Amino acid sequence: MQQSPIQIGMINLQDFEVPPSVRFGGRYRVMSHTLSGGTRILERLGPDDGDIQFRGTFSGPQAEARMRAINNLRLTGEVVWLTWESFRYQVIVKSFVADYHSPWWISYQIGCLVARQDGAADPQDQALSALVTADLAQAIAAVSGSSIQLGSLQTALSAPYALSAGTSDQSQVIAAVASSQAAIDQQITARSAVLATPFGTASAVSGYGSGLQSTVAAAGGLAAAVNANAYVGRIGSRLRASGV
């Protein structure tokens, strides 16, 4: 564990803060009804995670500030991500106890209540995934044949936790949405400028054909860019709303 930092919320534990071990697990809840003759009817109620517990020590000149940041998670009761190695849980900091030895050496113990199991099916996430996938498909179809590229957004959305609020994967998706919209806006501005230019005022009649083709292409590109921008913008809106 010493070589693999643990993150809780936006706080990456480091140095002596990293716990030597993390205690986690739980049970599976089952209701058993025993009938006459010994027959049992089992009602499976699902997994029941115990609190995740670990300890460490804040050290150095930022020990107090970092200790307060962790304690604030307990005070607010905010649901945050707890991650280490391949493990990911959404938790509430249920308990936080610190032993204040000095301003630069504060040992601590923390207990986290599991609010959600990573990997468990969530109807809201499934619905969000379907909506975002549909919007992305429409945006890609809209820019087909144009110079607008949505590959970075598509890659970001393929990340395992792209739709999970508060994760770095989702932050990267939101950044990719902003970048894609900026590129699309540039195309909208460029094509609008072509359409705003008076047609044929400085051209010979023989040049009207190529000028007309350029105008038609600009009009088509503008329509595609505006259409794609709407779908990409809606992806960003859906993701931001999912974190509320």
Side-chain angles (χ1 to χ4, degrees), residues 72-94:
N72 281 339
L73 296 179
R74 177 188 64 85
L75 294 173
T76 62
E78 180 184 0
V79 177
V80 297
W81 282 98
L82 172 64
T83 64
W84 76 95
E85 295 286 1
S86 61
F87 298 93
R88 301 178 67 87
Y89 293 86
Q90 282 190 301
V91 303
I92 294 174
V93 177
K94 180 179 175 180

PDB file of all heavy atoms in Angstrom, residues 72-94:
ATOM      1  N   ASN A  72     -13.185  18.090   7.324  1.00  0.00           N
ATOM      2  CA  ASN A  72     -14.298  18.802   6.695  1.00  0.00           C
ATOM      3  C   ASN A  72     -15.210  17.848   5.933  1.00  0.00           C
ATOM      4  O   ASN A  72     -16.418  18.095   5.809  1.00  0.00           O
ATOM      5  CB  ASN A  72     -13.774  19.889   5.751  1.00  0.00           C
ATOM      6  CG  ASN A  72     -13.327  21.129   6.502  1.00  0.00           C
ATOM      7  OD1 ASN A  72     -13.734  21.360   7.643  1.00  0.00           O
ATOM      8  ND2 ASN A  72     -12.489  21.943   5.866  1.00  0.00           N
ATOM      9  N   LEU A  73     -14.643  16.758   5.394  1.00  0.00           N
ATOM     10  CA  LEU A  73     -15.472  15.766   4.723  1.00  0.00           C
ATOM     11  C   LEU A  73     -16.437  15.122   5.721  1.00  0.00           C
ATOM     12  O   LEU A  73     -17.581  14.817   5.386  1.00  0.00           O
ATOM     13  CB  LEU A  73     -14.602  14.701   4.062  1.00  0.00           C
ATOM     14  CG  LEU A  73     -13.674  15.180   2.936  1.00  0.00           C
ATOM     15  CD1 LEU A  73     -12.850  14.014   2.388  1.00  0.00           C
ATOM     16  CD2 LEU A  73     -14.481  15.825   1.808  1.00  0.00           C
ATOM     17  N   ARG A  74     -15.965  14.921   6.938  1.00  0.00           N
ATOM     18  CA  ARG A  74     -16.843  14.389   7.978  1.00  0.00           C
ATOM     19  C   ARG A  74     -17.910  15.405   8.363  1.00  0.00           C
ATOM     20  O   ARG A  74     -19.093  15.069   8.554  1.00  0.00           O
ATOM     21  CB  ARG A  74     -16.028  14.012   9.229  1.00  0.00           C
ATOM     22  CG  ARG A  74     -16.887  13.520  10.404  1.00  0.00           C
ATOM     23  CD  ARG A  74     -16.063  13.357  11.669  1.00  0.00           C
ATOM     24  NE  ARG A  74     -15.508  14.627  12.144  1.00  0.00           N
ATOM     25  CZ  ARG A  74     -16.167  15.477  12.909  1.00  0.00           C
ATOM     26  NH1 ARG A  74     -17.425  15.246  13.260  1.00  0.00           N
ATOM     27  NH2 ARG A  74     -15.579  16.596  13.313  1.00  0.00           N
ATOM     28  N   LEU A  75     -17.509  16.673   8.471  1.00  0.00           N
ATOM     29  CA  LEU A  75     -18.431  17.714   8.911  1.00  0.00           C
ATOM     30  C   LEU A  75     -19.542  17.950   7.897  1.00  0.00           C
ATOM     31  O   LEU A  75     -20.683  18.237   8.266  1.00  0.00           O
ATOM     32  CB  LEU A  75     -17.670  19.019   9.159  1.00  0.00           C
ATOM     33  CG  LEU A  75     -16.671  18.996  10.329  1.00  0.00           C
ATOM     34  CD1 LEU A  75     -15.868  20.290  10.355  1.00  0.00           C
ATOM     35  CD2 LEU A  75     -17.391  18.781  11.660  1.00  0.00           C
ATOM     36  N   THR A  76     -19.234  17.849   6.610  1.00  0.00           N
ATOM     37  CA  THR A  76     -20.223  18.129   5.568  1.00  0.00           C
ATOM     38  C   THR A  76     -21.072  16.916   5.214  1.00  0.00           C
ATOM     39  O   THR A  76     -22.181  17.059   4.705  1.00  0.00           O
ATOM     40  CB  THR A  76     -19.538  18.635   4.292  1.00  0.00           C
ATOM     41  OG1 THR A  76     -18.655  17.619   3.783  1.00  0.00           O
ATOM     42  CG2 THR A  76     -18.743  19.914   4.568  1.00  0.00           C
ATOM     43  N   GLY A  77     -20.542  15.710   5.454  1.00  0.00           N
ATOM     44  CA  GLY A  77     -21.283  14.508   5.071  1.00  0.00           C
ATOM     45  C   GLY A  77     -21.393  14.333   3.572  1.00  0.00           C
ATOM     46  O   GLY A  77     -22.283  13.631   3.080  1.00  0.00           O
ATOM     47  N   GLU A  78     -20.483  14.939   2.837  1.00  0.00           N
ATOM     48  CA  GLU A  78     -20.504  14.862   1.375  1.00  0.00           C
ATOM     49  C   GLU A  78     -20.163  13.445   0.901  1.00  0.00           C
ATOM     50  O   GLU A  78     -19.303  12.781   1.458  1.00  0.00           O
ATOM     51  CB  GLU A  78     -19.491  15.857   0.803  1.00  0.00           C
ATOM     52  CG  GLU A  78     -19.402  15.875  -0.705  1.00  0.00           C
ATOM     53  CD  GLU A  78     -18.318  16.810  -1.197  1.00  0.00           C
ATOM     54  OE1 GLU A  78     -17.647  17.438  -0.347  1.00  0.00           O
ATOM     55  OE2 GLU A  78     -18.143  16.912  -2.420  1.00  0.00           O
ATOM     56  N   VAL A  79     -20.860  12.994  -0.139  1.00  0.00           N
ATOM     57  CA  VAL A  79     -20.532  11.713  -0.754  1.00  0.00           C
ATOM     58  C   VAL A  79     -19.352  11.922  -1.697  1.00  0.00           C
ATOM     59  O   VAL A  79     -19.420  12.759  -2.610  1.00  0.00           O
ATOM     60  CB  VAL A  79     -21.732  11.133  -1.530  1.00  0.00           C
ATOM     61  CG1 VAL A  79     -21.344   9.822  -2.230  1.00  0.00           C
ATOM     62  CG2 VAL A  79     -22.905  10.892  -0.593  1.00  0.00           C
ATOM     63  N   VAL A  80     -18.261  11.204  -1.458  1.00  0.00           N
ATOM     64  CA  VAL A  80     -17.040  11.377  -2.245  1.00  0.00           C
ATOM     65  C   VAL A  80     -16.518  10.017  -2.676  1.00  0.00           C
ATOM     66  O   VAL A  80     -16.911   8.968  -2.156  1.00  0.00           O
ATOM     67  CB  VAL A  80     -15.943  12.111  -1.439  1.00  0.00           C
ATOM     68  CG1 VAL A  80     -16.387  13.526  -1.086  1.00  0.00           C
ATOM     69  CG2 VAL A  80     -15.600  11.334  -0.162  1.00  0.00           C
ATOM     70  N   TRP A  81     -15.613  10.033  -3.649  1.00  0.00           N
ATOM     71  CA  TRP A  81     -14.974   8.802  -4.101  1.00  0.00           C
ATOM     72  C   TRP A  81     -13.795   8.470  -3.193  1.00  0.00           C
ATOM     73  O   TRP A  81     -12.987   9.339  -2.857  1.00  0.00           O
ATOM     74  CB  TRP A  81     -14.491   8.936  -5.534  1.00  0.00           C
ATOM     75  CG  TRP A  81     -15.589   8.808  -6.547  1.00  0.00           C
ATOM     76  CD1 TRP A  81     -16.250   9.827  -7.170  1.00  0.00           C
ATOM     77  CD2 TRP A  81     -16.155   7.598  -7.044  1.00  0.00           C
ATOM     78  NE1 TRP A  81     -17.198   9.323  -8.024  1.00  0.00           N
ATOM     79  CE2 TRP A  81     -17.159   7.957  -7.973  1.00  0.00           C
ATOM     80  CE3 TRP A  81     -15.906   6.241  -6.799  1.00  0.00           C
ATOM     81  CZ2 TRP A  81     -17.911   7.003  -8.650  1.00  0.00           C
ATOM     82  CZ3 TRP A  81     -16.659   5.298  -7.473  1.00  0.00           C
ATOM     83  CH2 TRP A  81     -17.651   5.671  -8.394  1.00  0.00           C
ATOM     84  N   LEU A  82     -13.700   7.203  -2.820  1.00  0.00           N
ATOM     85  CA  LEU A  82     -12.539   6.664  -2.122  1.00  0.00           C
ATOM     86  C   LEU A  82     -11.920   5.622  -3.049  1.00  0.00           C
ATOM     87  O   LEU A  82     -12.579   4.652  -3.425  1.00  0.00           O
ATOM     88  CB  LEU A  82     -12.956   6.023  -0.798  1.00  0.00           C
ATOM     89  CG  LEU A  82     -11.867   5.239  -0.037  1.00  0.00           C
ATOM     90  CD1 LEU A  82     -10.745   6.175   0.409  1.00  0.00           C
ATOM     91  CD2 LEU A  82     -12.469   4.508   1.159  1.00  0.00           C
ATOM     92  N   THR A  83     -10.674   5.842  -3.442  1.00  0.00           N
ATOM     93  CA  THR A  83     -10.042   4.945  -4.410  1.00  0.00           C
ATOM     94  C   THR A  83      -8.636   4.566  -3.969  1.00  0.00           C
ATOM     95  O   THR A  83      -7.922   5.359  -3.372  1.00  0.00           O
ATOM     96  CB  THR A  83      -9.957   5.607  -5.803  1.00  0.00           C
ATOM     97  OG1 THR A  83      -9.098   6.757  -5.729  1.00  0.00           O
ATOM     98  CG2 THR A  83     -11.323   6.056  -6.289  1.00  0.00           C
ATOM     99  N   TRP A  84      -8.276   3.316  -4.245  1.00  0.00           N
ATOM    100  CA  TRP A  84      -6.896   2.864  -4.105  1.00  0.00           C
ATOM    101  C   TRP A  84      -6.748   1.627  -4.981  1.00  0.00           C
ATOM    102  O   TRP A  84      -7.683   0.846  -5.147  1.00  0.00           O
ATOM    103  CB  TRP A  84      -6.542   2.575  -2.643  1.00  0.00           C
ATOM    104  CG  TRP A  84      -7.090   1.291  -2.080  1.00  0.00           C
ATOM    105  CD1 TRP A  84      -6.462   0.080  -2.001  1.00  0.00           C
ATOM    106  CD2 TRP A  84      -8.390   1.088  -1.502  1.00  0.00           C
ATOM    107  NE1 TRP A  84      -7.283  -0.862  -1.421  1.00  0.00           N
ATOM    108  CE2 TRP A  84      -8.472  -0.268  -1.095  1.00  0.00           C
ATOM    109  CE3 TRP A  84      -9.497   1.918  -1.283  1.00  0.00           C
ATOM    110  CZ2 TRP A  84      -9.608  -0.804  -0.496  1.00  0.00           C
ATOM    111  CZ3 TRP A  84     -10.624   1.384  -0.688  1.00  0.00           C
ATOM    112  CH2 TRP A  84     -10.662   0.043  -0.298  1.00  0.00           C
ATOM    113  N   GLU A  85      -5.564   1.497  -5.583  1.00  0.00           N
ATOM    114  CA  GLU A  85      -5.335   0.384  -6.500  1.00  0.00           C
ATOM    115  C   GLU A  85      -6.519   0.302  -7.469  1.00  0.00           C
ATOM    116  O   GLU A  85      -6.857   1.281  -8.111  1.00  0.00           O
ATOM    117  CB  GLU A  85      -5.141  -0.917  -5.727  1.00  0.00           C
ATOM    118  CG  GLU A  85      -3.884  -0.945  -4.853  1.00  0.00           C
ATOM    119  CD  GLU A  85      -2.596  -1.099  -5.648  1.00  0.00           C
ATOM    120  OE1 GLU A  85      -2.645  -1.172  -6.887  1.00  0.00           O
ATOM    121  OE2 GLU A  85      -1.532  -1.135  -5.004  1.00  0.00           O
ATOM    122  N   SER A  86      -7.169  -0.874  -7.559  1.00  0.00           N
ATOM    123  CA  SER A  86      -8.302  -1.042  -8.469  1.00  0.00           C
ATOM    124  C   SER A  86      -9.645  -0.887  -7.756  1.00  0.00           C
ATOM    125  O   SER A  86     -10.697  -1.134  -8.358  1.00  0.00           O
ATOM    126  CB  SER A  86      -8.247  -2.439  -9.114  1.00  0.00           C
ATOM    127  OG  SER A  86      -8.329  -3.453  -8.123  1.00  0.00           O
ATOM    128  N   PHE A  87      -9.635  -0.451  -6.490  1.00  0.00           N
ATOM    129  CA  PHE A  87     -10.856  -0.355  -5.704  1.00  0.00           C
ATOM    130  C   PHE A  87     -11.440   1.058  -5.773  1.00  0.00           C
ATOM    131  O   PHE A  87     -10.711   2.042  -5.650  1.00  0.00           O
ATOM    132  CB  PHE A  87     -10.583  -0.730  -4.240  1.00  0.00           C
ATOM    133  CG  PHE A  87     -10.101  -2.138  -4.060  1.00  0.00           C
ATOM    134  CD1 PHE A  87      -8.740  -2.422  -4.026  1.00  0.00           C
ATOM    135  CD2 PHE A  87     -10.997  -3.182  -3.951  1.00  0.00           C
ATOM    136  CE1 PHE A  87      -8.286  -3.719  -3.872  1.00  0.00           C
ATOM    137  CE2 PHE A  87     -10.555  -4.486  -3.788  1.00  0.00           C
ATOM    138  CZ  PHE A  87      -9.199  -4.761  -3.760  1.00  0.00           C
ATOM    139  N   ARG A  88     -12.760   1.142  -5.945  1.00  0.00           N
ATOM    140  CA  ARG A  88     -13.441   2.423  -6.028  1.00  0.00           C
ATOM    141  C   ARG A  88     -14.775   2.326  -5.284  1.00  0.00           C
ATOM    142  O   ARG A  88     -15.581   1.436  -5.559  1.00  0.00           O
ATOM    143  CB  ARG A  88     -13.696   2.826  -7.480  1.00  0.00           C
ATOM    144  CG  ARG A  88     -12.441   2.949  -8.328  1.00  0.00           C
ATOM    145  CD  ARG A  88     -12.797   3.292  -9.764  1.00  0.00           C
ATOM    146  NE  ARG A  88     -13.364   4.624  -9.860  1.00  0.00           N
ATOM    147  CZ  ARG A  88     -12.653   5.732 -10.008  1.00  0.00           C
ATOM    148  NH1 ARG A  88     -11.337   5.669 -10.047  1.00  0.00           N
ATOM    149  NH2 ARG A  88     -13.232   6.894 -10.108  1.00  0.00           N
ATOM    150  N   TYR A  89     -14.976   3.234  -4.340  1.00  0.00           N
ATOM    151  CA  TYR A  89     -16.214   3.276  -3.581  1.00  0.00           C
ATOM    152  C   TYR A  89     -16.678   4.727  -3.464  1.00  0.00           C
ATOM    153  O   TYR A  89     -15.850   5.636  -3.351  1.00  0.00           O
ATOM    154  CB  TYR A  89     -16.023   2.739  -2.159  1.00  0.00           C
ATOM    155  CG  TYR A  89     -15.699   1.269  -2.050  1.00  0.00           C
ATOM    156  CD1 TYR A  89     -14.382   0.828  -2.138  1.00  0.00           C
ATOM    157  CD2 TYR A  89     -16.695   0.329  -1.840  1.00  0.00           C
ATOM    158  CE1 TYR A  89     -14.067  -0.522  -2.019  1.00  0.00           C
ATOM    159  CE2 TYR A  89     -16.397  -1.022  -1.717  1.00  0.00           C
ATOM    160  CZ  TYR A  89     -15.083  -1.441  -1.812  1.00  0.00           C
ATOM    161  OH  TYR A  89     -14.778  -2.774  -1.704  1.00  0.00           O
ATOM    162  N   GLN A  90     -17.986   4.929  -3.479  1.00  0.00           N
ATOM    163  CA  GLN A  90     -18.526   6.222  -3.087  1.00  0.00           C
ATOM    164  C   GLN A  90     -18.879   6.118  -1.608  1.00  0.00           C
ATOM    165  O   GLN A  90     -19.625   5.215  -1.201  1.00  0.00           O
ATOM    166  CB  GLN A  90     -19.751   6.579  -3.927  1.00  0.00           C
ATOM    167  CG  GLN A  90     -19.384   7.080  -5.322  1.00  0.00           C
ATOM    168  CD  GLN A  90     -20.576   7.653  -6.044  1.00  0.00           C
ATOM    169  OE1 GLN A  90     -21.557   6.974  -6.259  1.00  0.00           O
ATOM    170  NE2 GLN A  90     -20.493   8.910  -6.424  1.00  0.00           N
ATOM    171  N   VAL A  91     -18.337   7.035  -0.817  1.00  0.00           N
ATOM    172  CA  VAL A  91     -18.449   6.915   0.634  1.00  0.00           C
ATOM    173  C   VAL A  91     -18.812   8.244   1.281  1.00  0.00           C
ATOM    174  O   VAL A  91     -18.706   9.313   0.672  1.00  0.00           O
ATOM    175  CB  VAL A  91     -17.121   6.418   1.258  1.00  0.00           C
ATOM    176  CG1 VAL A  91     -16.697   5.086   0.649  1.00  0.00           C
ATOM    177  CG2 VAL A  91     -16.008   7.469   1.078  1.00  0.00           C
ATOM    178  N   ILE A  92     -19.244   8.135   2.535  1.00  0.00           N
ATOM    179  CA  ILE A  92     -19.394   9.282   3.431  1.00  0.00           C
ATOM    180  C   ILE A  92     -18.415   9.073   4.581  1.00  0.00           C
ATOM    181  O   ILE A  92     -18.343   7.964   5.132  1.00  0.00           O
ATOM    182  CB  ILE A  92     -20.826   9.388   3.972  1.00  0.00           C
ATOM    183  CG1 ILE A  92     -21.804   9.707   2.830  1.00  0.00           C
ATOM    184  CG2 ILE A  92     -20.920  10.451   5.064  1.00  0.00           C
ATOM    185  CD1 ILE A  92     -23.263   9.686   3.264  1.00  0.00           C
ATOM    186  N   VAL A  93     -17.642  10.097   4.897  1.00  0.00           N
ATOM    187  CA  VAL A  93     -16.719   9.986   6.027  1.00  0.00           C
ATOM    188  C   VAL A  93     -17.552   9.975   7.301  1.00  0.00           C
ATOM    189  O   VAL A  93     -18.064  11.000   7.750  1.00  0.00           O
ATOM    190  CB  VAL A  93     -15.694  11.136   6.038  1.00  0.00           C
ATOM    191  CG1 VAL A  93     -14.808  11.030   7.275  1.00  0.00           C
ATOM    192  CG2 VAL A  93     -14.845  11.092   4.781  1.00  0.00           C
ATOM    193  N   LYS A  94     -17.706   8.795   7.867  1.00  0.00           N
ATOM    194  CA  LYS A  94     -18.569   8.586   9.034  1.00  0.00           C
ATOM    195  C   LYS A  94     -17.867   8.957  10.332  1.00  0.00           C
ATOM    196  O   LYS A  94     -18.483   9.489  11.266  1.00  0.00           O
ATOM    197  CB  LYS A  94     -19.011   7.127   9.060  1.00  0.00           C
ATOM    198  CG  LYS A  94     -19.922   6.750  10.205  1.00  0.00           C
ATOM    199  CD  LYS A  94     -20.299   5.278  10.098  1.00  0.00           C
ATOM    200  CE  LYS A  94     -21.118   4.822  11.292  1.00  0.00           C
ATOM    201  NZ  LYS A  94     -21.476   3.379  11.171  1.00  0.00           N
TER     202      LYS A  94
END
